[in-house]
Amino acid sequence: MSVDTRRRSSAGRAAQPVRSERVRAEARLGWWLAGPAFVVMLAVTLYPILQAGWDSLFHFRLTAPADKSFAGAANYVNILGDPLFWQSLGVTLLITVVTVAVELLLGFALALVMQRGLKSVRGLVRTAILIPYGIITVVSAFSWFYMFDISSGFVNSWFDWVPGIGPETNWFAGTWGSLFVVIASEIWKTTPFISLLLLAGLAQVPTELEEAAEVDGATWSERMARVVLPNMKAAIMVAVLFRALDAFRIFDNVFIMTNGAYGTEVLSLLAYRTSIGRLEIGLGSAISVLLFLCVLLICFISIKAFKIDLAGTRGGK
Amino acid sequence: MAISTAREKATWIIITVAVVIYALFPVASILATSFKAPSDLANGTFLPREFSTLNYEQILIGDAQGLFLTALRNSIGIAVIATCIAVVLATLAAYAIARLEFRGKKLILTTALAVSVFPVISIVTPLFNIWRSIGLYDTWLGLIIPYLSLTLPISIWTLAAFFRQIPWELEQAAQVDGATPWQAFSKAIVPLAAPGVFTTAIIAFFIAWNDFVYGIALTSTESARTVPAALAFFTGASQFESPTGAISAAAIIVTLPVVVLVLAFQRQIVSGLTQGAVKG
């Protein structure tokens, strides 16, 4: 909209035909430059998801391709009636809520350390915090798995003074132990991202406001609650939304640590095992579509609830 | 800000140490495991009793060599090519977004955003199927193309944010001073844009290097399997021997490039990530 009005007003000032020719040439150049990226993005996502939507309407197993037949909504009925699907959804939501909540607190603390910590070690802290961000999730998963593993781990011998932990504690023999380690590794790996976003948010809080509050005698927690946090609302919401979407798609950690055993199956793993493990393309596609719809729903709810203008807060003009 | 007292300083030092330990502990743990001899793996200690390089020998020159080195070559090749393509396409797009007036800018940025929140697993099933029928399954190209869905959106956002901050008037100023349009662009703009492009490339590389879902779903043999996927399917020398040591050593080797990049470009990575993410 704003583009149009701007264009019209500037066109009014210059000689009309020359100007509009230039405007058109500029638009053409814009699309020539940006078009390839746009087309590639659509081709690598939109086309496959449409294909998945189509495939989900068929009884289609790769082991018996000749038996492909139209199924209508049968695959969806099948999945939505399966307790395993609801259990996976529950586990996925649990992981999402817990990791996002913990990461928000931890990430904010780390952001404060990065912003206000001693100048001389700020670089060190930033570098250290960036390491988990760069580490491959699979490596992080293995490292946490080996720490807690009953044969190669040292956690049991380090923490045997904690009631309930002993040399024989097998973390990966039950739902809660496994989920605990999965969540811990996810938090470790992805907190840096959230704390960097929050650091950028902190940088946007006007220092004068905070200083004024301090002069007026506000305590540290009052300044945080009344001045700092309200001023970085946008950054917090973006961080929460992006982390929530990311956590909802969790896959690597669970695959490495339990491969879905003991009720730790998450939605992504269910989709993977149905389609690529059991070659049930029809059913797997239906799960893929449902997962996609869940992500859309999360986006929609957060945009409505938080009134986030994503394009705006993420740097749109 | 308050004057920092000695006590405040001590508190900050303790906090800093705690943060550094928190961030590095799992890495230190797998590093320690990678230097354990097989007999030492199950003794429940953090540090190896005796320092052993056996695990590294096994994956670099021993019987697991073929598996690991091939996967490493695949990982490097595929991640580098996917990064280059993404950065080139994103640079063109971001230049257009930052510099030119045209309808659809917002559409492109919104599409990039939508693609980046897209669940990878939702695309994997159809790709698995399509790739098998057109022969891209288990090939480098079969991974490079889907990797663009990971690297391209973040590259566009980060670069568009960088490019918006470039004072484009410099170009005109250079032209007024007698430079040709191309000279003006290459002498005035390119040096300002290059650091942003470079930072974006590092971030995109991290993301491609980290991929696991595409790696396990779209490959089946050594011809395209990347390191993260190979680690997941790695089995020990015998059925009864768990490959803990070898996996730890391999994990350390794939972590090294990341650590080197982080150490060298810490400042740029932070600014790149945050600019693409929140700054207007």
Side-chain angles (χ1 to χ4, degrees), chain B:
Chain B
M1 291 284 124
I3 305 144
S4 67
T5 60
R7 198 164 148 203
E8 217 170 286
K9 206 167 174 183
T11 318
W12 275 117
I13 289 174
I14 294 169
I15 293 174
T16 308
V17 171
V19 169
V20 171
I21 290 177
Y22 162 81
L24 298 184
F25 192 71
V27 185
S29 146
I30 206 156
L31 183 68
T33 311
S34 76
F35 286 115
K36 282 183 177 179
S39 58
D40 213 10
L41 278 171
N43 63 16
T45 60
F46 179 76
L47 290 172
R49 285 216 185 109
E50 236 177 288
F51 187 81
S52 154
T53 55
L54 220 63
N55 299 315
Y56 289 92
E57 284 165 29
Q58 198 194 338
I59 58 163
L60 291 177
I61 49 177
D63 44 4
Q65 175 198 14
L67 207 68
F68 177 71
L69 290 182
T70 322
L72 190 61
R73 207 180 57 217
N74 290 340
S75 263
I76 295 173
I78 294 170
V80 167
I81 295 173
T83 302
C84 290
I85 297 175
V87 169
V88 169
L89 291 181
T91 303
L92 298 177
Y95 174 81
I97 288 166
R99 189 69 208 282
L100 305 172
E101 282 302 339
F102 64 102
R103 225 183 268 260
K105 264 187 209 187
K106 203 153 188 175
L107 175 69
I108 292 166
L109 286 173
T110 313
T111 307
L113 193 64
V115 170
S116 69
V117 299
F118 208 89
V120 167
I121 205 82
S122 292
I123 335 180
V124 143
T125 305
L127 279 184
F128 173 73
N129 209 10
I130 301 167
W131 274 194
R132 286 177 73 96
S133 54
I134 63 174
L136 280 180
Y137 182 70
D138 205 21
T139 63
W140 275 32
L141 191 60
L143 282 185
I144 291 169
I145 295 170
Y147 275 17
L148 293 177
S149 74
L150 305 172
T151 52
L152 200 45
I154 192 161
S155 303
I156 292 177
W157 274 101
T158 315
L159 277 171
F162 267 122
F163 284 3
R164 283 207 188 97
Q165 296 175 337
I166 292 177
W168 296 98
E169 305 77 42
L170 278 182
E171 204 182 344
Q172 283 167 328
Q175 281 191 52
V176 170
D177 289 348
T180 65
W182 172 249
Q183 278 175 336
F185 181 75
S186 62
K187 294 268 161 66
I189 300 300
V190 171
L192 288 174
V197 174
F198 184 69
T199 304
T200 307
I202 293 178
I203 295 170
F205 177 78
F206 277 2
I207 290 170
W209 192 242
N210 184 45
D211 162 76
F212 180 62
V213 179
Y214 289 133
I216 57 164
L218 302 178
T219 63
S220 61
T221 66
E222 286 172 16
S223 57
R225 186 159 276 167
T226 55
V227 176
L231 286 181
F233 292 118
F234 197 60
T235 45
S238 81
Q239 199 184 335
F240 305 103
E241 197 184 319
S242 154
T244 307
I247 286 180
S248 303
I252 289 302
I253 291 178
V254 293
T255 303
L256 280 178
V258 169
V259 175
V260 170
L261 287 175
V262 165
L263 290 179
F265 303 107
Q266 169 261 123
R267 197 173 292 274
Q268 288 88 325
I269 297 171
V270 171
S271 69
L273 279 174
T274 49
Q275 278 179 356
V278 251
K279 282 203 182 142

Side-chain angles (χ1 to χ4, degrees), chain A residues 30-46:
Chain A
W31 271 105
W32 273 114
L33 292 175
F38 185 65
V39 171
V40 169
M41 285 192 296
L42 290 187
V44 291
T45 48
L46 190 65

